[in-house]
Amino acid sequence: MDAERTRVAAEVSRADFNHSILEQIDERYDLLVLDWGLQTPDARGVLDAFRQISPKTQILVLASDVPSADPVDRGADELLIDPVSDEELQLTVERLLLQKEYEAAMDEFFRLSTERALLESELQSGLDVVDRYQSVVSNLYDYRKWAATIRDEFSNDEFNYVLRKLLDE
């Protein structure tokens, strides 16, 4: 990735094929770039394992031609068919990483909104939850700003795509 032009910071790790892939799968990865032509281990098995073990990890599949079994139908977030330019790959990786970050911000925003509504009800009932309510409102404001900042990184087309994916889930 071109560090000077990138919209996100990324650390790249490569799979160690001398160790079990299953032992290497966990939530610390934001994005998996998977070669659909991978034979050992089988790319389909890697995709399935990532979806089960780390469901929030974004998965980008790279294929040399249109696969007979669609990786997106199997759980991948995106499929790119060779030839892929460096720019297209970078933009796709950035969008997927931003998408994950945006989804996390919106998940927390919705969780805090629910908590705020519950606390408002408790306040009306006379319970002493003022401090917790103020903390939640402050956090809600921060997450709204964070989501807006992430939103500004997307083009209109990218945001429409991300919003459709978010609403489908």
Side-chain angles (χ1 to χ4, degrees):
M1 295 192 40
D2 183 352
E4 292 178 14
R5 292 186 28 234
T6 188
R7 297 179 287 176
V8 294
E11 182 180 323
V12 177
S13 299
R14 294 183 183 269
D16 180 352
F17 292 112
N18 293 320
H19 293 92
S20 169
I21 292 297
L22 292 175
E23 293 174 1
Q24 298 175 61
I25 299 173
D26 62 42
E27 293 285 334
R28 75 176 169 239
Y29 299 110
D30 294 321
L31 173 70
L32 168 67
V33 179
L34 180 61
D35 179 355
W36 200 242
L38 188 65
Q39 297 294 317
T40 306
D42 178 63
R44 288 141 199 83
V46 172
L47 174 61
D48 294 345
F50 252 94
R51 272 295 158 245
Q52 290 175 359
I53 298 169
S54 183
K56 293 193 179 274
T57 297
Q58 297 285 68
I59 300 176
L60 169 60
V61 171
L62 303 176
S64 57
D65 55 19
V66 178
S68 58
D70 188 355
V72 174
D73 288 343
R74 196 173 187 120
D77 295 290
E78 189 81 31
L79 168 66
L80 293 178
I81 307 295
D82 282 338
V84 177
S85 70
D86 290 344
E87 181 180 12
E88 181 181 10
L89 180 60
Q90 179 169 334
L91 289 173
T92 302
V93 166
E94 288 175 356
R95 181 180 46 76
L96 288 170
L97 291 172
L98 285 169
Q99 178 178 329
K100 179 178 170 78
E101 191 172 348
Y102 186 75
E103 288 173 1
M106 292 306 294
D107 285 349
E108 187 62 11
F109 177 80
F110 290 131
R111 187 196 67 74
L112 288 166
S113 295
T114 302
E115 186 175 353
R116 180 185 67 183
L118 179 62
L119 288 168
E120 284 173 351
S121 173
E122 290 177 344
L123 279 172
Q124 291 175 356
S125 298
L127 294 175
D128 185 22
V129 292
V130 172
D131 290 342
R132 180 67 189 147
Y133 178 79
Q134 290 173 341
S135 174
V136 166
V137 169
S138 176
N139 288 339
L140 190 59
Y141 176 76
D142 291 342
Y143 275 93
R144 181 182 297 136
K145 280 179 38 181
W146 183 36
T149 299
I150 298 166
R151 162 54 183 107
D152 290 343
E153 290 296 322
F154 290 115
S155 70
N156 285 335
D157 288 341
E158 286 176 327
F159 182 70
N160 289 338
Y161 178 83
V162 168
L163 192 56
R164 279 193 308 275
K165 296 264 304 181
L166 187 62
L167 294 175
D168 283 345
E169 294 176 358

